[in-house]
Amino acid sequence: MALGKYTRVDNRRSASSYCSTVTIVVFVALCLVGVWMMTSSSVVPVQNVDVGEEDKSEVKELVSETNDGNNRQFEDNPGDLPEDATKGDNNDGATQVEEKFEEKVEEKVEEKPEVKAEEKIEEKTEDGSKTETEDGGSKTEDGGSKVENDGSNSEDGEKKIDGDNEKKNDLGEGEEEKKSDDDNAKISDDDNEKKPENADETKDAGKENSQIEEKVEQTDREQDREKTENGQVVNQSSNEVFPSVAQSELLNETATQNGSWATQSTESKNEKEAQLSSDQQTGYDWKLCNSTAGPDFIPCLDNLQAIRSLHSTKHYEHRERHCPEEAPTCLLPLPEGYKRPIEWPTSREKIWYFNVPHTKLAEVKGHQNWVKVTGEYLTFPGGGTQFKRGALHYIDWIQESVSDIAWGKRSRVILDVGCGVASFGGYQFDRDVLTMSFAPKDEHEAQVQFALERGIPAISAVMGTQRLPYPSKVFDAVHCARCRVPWHIEGGKLLLELNRVLRPGGFFVWSATPVYQKKPEDVEIWEAMKELTKKMCWELVSINKDTINGVGAAIYKKPANNECYEQRSQNDPPICDKSDDPNAAWKVPLQACLHKVPVDASERGSQWPEQWPSRLDKAPYWLLSSQTGVYGKPAPEDFTADYEHWKRVVTQSYLSGMGINWSTVRNVMDMRSVYGGFAAALKDLKIWVMNIVTVDSPDTLPIIYERGLFGMYHDWCESFSTYPRSYDLLHADHLFSLLKKRCKLVAVVAEVDRILRPEGKLIVRDNIETINELEGMLKSMHWEVRMTYAKDKEGLLCVQKSMWRPKESETVKYAIA
């Protein structure tokens, strides 16, 4: 140990010995100078003597500094120092130290100097206070906790080597002093890199470390009890201990049957190259995006160059996604006067005007209680075009019209088409309903942005020429309040798309003027809808008028079997071909056909899920033991193990071990969800989670919907269909290491910065090489690292986005009007 070595060196030296040594050195030096003058040749030992003398003074200073530093480091627990750090010196001990030092230097010189996956923890509480700990030691700063093994002891490491060399010289090994300065520097750096392992020797004696060991032993016993009869561990994860004694389980993932996960096991070469690249790149040249959309830039929706080249806009092609060939790597400016968003549930009623400084919608729809400008706020009276007297009354009126709709029990996950500012979805939370709302980015300025700023789920999308990014048969109900979607045209292609995503036996609530007004245009649309829905075998279960709001609604029910389809006299709309996969949804063109209802009892869609909340934690009936899950176990067991894993992670680490104030968190995204376990574990908080299933991952999104959660498909090599500053927290589990093979990681990080709110949190779980690379990028954007943790080549990173913006700008040519 460093402390023991320095103490022994100090005890063995005395002032008199130093004086006599100096005298001898001076005498020898004079003699050597005389010989040099006579022979006109240089003498190298003069340098060695001078260096040795300088080293001696450094060792004396280092002894004092090291003793003081260690006293400070352990000032809260002075009685827990290791025994060998305080015991006296003897010759045997010196010999042992010398032998250990030689062994460690030889081992380290042979090792390849690459980043080690050593334990590394860094944590910072919400109030900004920190504590630092290096492999068992603790250093308190401002009363919080920040634990980091950052290898910042290079200076001490150099002095430590010098001291050992001096000690070896006293033991008769003077030849060690004849090494070059370059060799000494190399050994110093290597030994400094090895130093954290030496520090681990203090663990067995500390009281805090004893508690950690007891926790690990207890965790091991719990894991042993989780083993199945055939010896397989149900929970494929390793438990880690945080400063708060909370656990972080780094999931050991295995390859899936379809091979989409196998790339992680063959990724070592790419990871090493990426690591080398990240090590060489010490800075990133971030610039502000200069685009017509300004702070509200959505790359795939504001690609004006692509939109101008469209041959037609008849089917709203100009509102669909048109992503640039290369995703932007610039950062967006903040709106002038931007403030931290108002917290839920107050945000449902009002938001800061300067966060979304758009007044056009208030001017156009203010009289319909959509949104109003009230001083420094934008206020939302709770109404809309169809529910001017309040959304809750409207929601309850729908259930009174059809009691089987059973908000929050039978109908848990619904789709709101043409949502406006999403007040319908915002008040459905009071009925325990989760609403996926969407509307286009059009002349109704910032309607979806208003919804997200309020804390209501929404995305920017349009029903145009492509399928919606959702699986088939997943929504319990679909709602459309005065949405101007031409359902009846072109063979009912758009309504047939709703039929695809609607669960068999689910309801379609159509609250629009053709239902209750008698204008010629409305009557024509109503007649066309009656004919179309009859051909689709939809049952009109209710048509009713709300006297308070003065609106009406027609409520249809999708058939739960194929009897009606088989009895039709004409195949119109036609039944889709058997080769047509209804779950294919990513950039798939719309088709005007009907998909048959599943009838096999083991097939998804043949039965209604259990009522909420029972459906959350039970494996769907159509997950069979004969199927292999994502992590290698039978599908139902895989589902259960994943849920148990995320419950432990969220409860024991995320909620208490990272210093996150969850009362400030409302909009959450799981950027790479599998079974939705992360979102399910957060169900008791007042938040919502957008579960993203990446397009190159196993298609588990239907499972997420089956358990009463929601999400969508996405490719993170492209921009997400949301406004900037939409989410309070992003969670990425082993996502970035997979993306590095297909995308520029810098562009993905720029997209993360775009959709995350200032002061928002990003939690990343990934391999240590990717964690280190991400940490460098995020620090270059002045993000605050709140926690890092690494062990066994797996890492955890929690960072907070800052308000910092670059000063230089970069013009995004395709986004300039």
Side-chain angles (χ1 to χ4, degrees), residues 480-595:
C480 174
R482 203 166 182 170
C483 54
R484 297 180 179 179
V485 179
W487 301 117
H488 59 289
I489 67 172
E490 297 185 346
K493 185 180 292 186
L494 300 181
L495 195 62
L496 289 168
E497 172 62 3
L498 292 190
N499 185 77
R500 182 186 71 88
V501 300
L502 184 61
R503 191 182 300 278
F507 294 98
F508 174 57
V509 181
W510 189 38
S511 171
T513 56
V515 176
Y516 59 92
Q517 290 187 1
K518 301 303 179 182
K519 297 178 182 179
E521 182 182 1
D522 291 326
V523 171
E524 182 180 352
I525 293 174
W526 171 248
E527 292 299 327
M529 279 290 287
K530 280 174 55 178
E531 182 180 358
L532 175 61
T533 53
K534 184 178 180 179
K535 291 179 179 180
M536 293 173 58
C537 295
W538 281 15
E539 177 189 1
L540 179 60
V541 295
S542 173
I543 180 168
N544 198 6
K545 187 170 183 178
D546 178 14
T547 56
I548 295 180
N549 282 311
V551 300
I555 303 177
Y556 298 90
K557 185 176 183 180
K558 179 180 176 179
N561 55 55
N562 296 310
E563 292 180 5
C564 177
Y565 298 149
E566 296 169 353
Q567 295 173 0
R568 292 187 308 167
S569 59
Q570 294 181 347
N571 188 28
D572 181 30
I575 299 297
C576 299
D577 293 336
K578 293 182 179 180
S579 61
D580 189 304
D581 182 3
N583 293 312
W586 185 248
K587 299 182 179 180
V588 175
L590 290 175
Q591 295 187 63
C593 64
L594 282 167
H595 292 94

Side-chain angles (χ1 to χ4, degrees), residues 25 44-59 162 165-166 176-181 184:
V25 169
V44 174
V46 173
Q47 290 181 346
N48 289 341
V49 172
D50 290 341
V51 171
E53 181 66 18
E54 184 177 332
D55 289 348
K56 294 170 188 175
S57 62
E58 288 181 353
V59 169
D162 292 339
N165 287 340
E166 184 179 283
E176 294 291 329
E177 288 185 4
K178 295 180 181 180
K179 293 184 179 179
S180 66
D181 292 341
N184 285 337

Side-chain angles (χ1 to χ4, degrees), residues 61 93 139 148 190 222 323 356 360 394-395 527 534 586 624 626 643 649 742 757:
E61 295 173 0
K139 180 177 179 181
E148 181 175 6
D190 290 342
E222 293 175 356
C323 298
V356 192
K360 184 175 181 179
Y394 173 79
I395 291 168
E527 292 299 327
K534 184 178 180 179
W586 185 248
L624 307 178
S626 59
Y643 184 38
V649 169
R742 302 190 299 112
R757 290 172 172 174

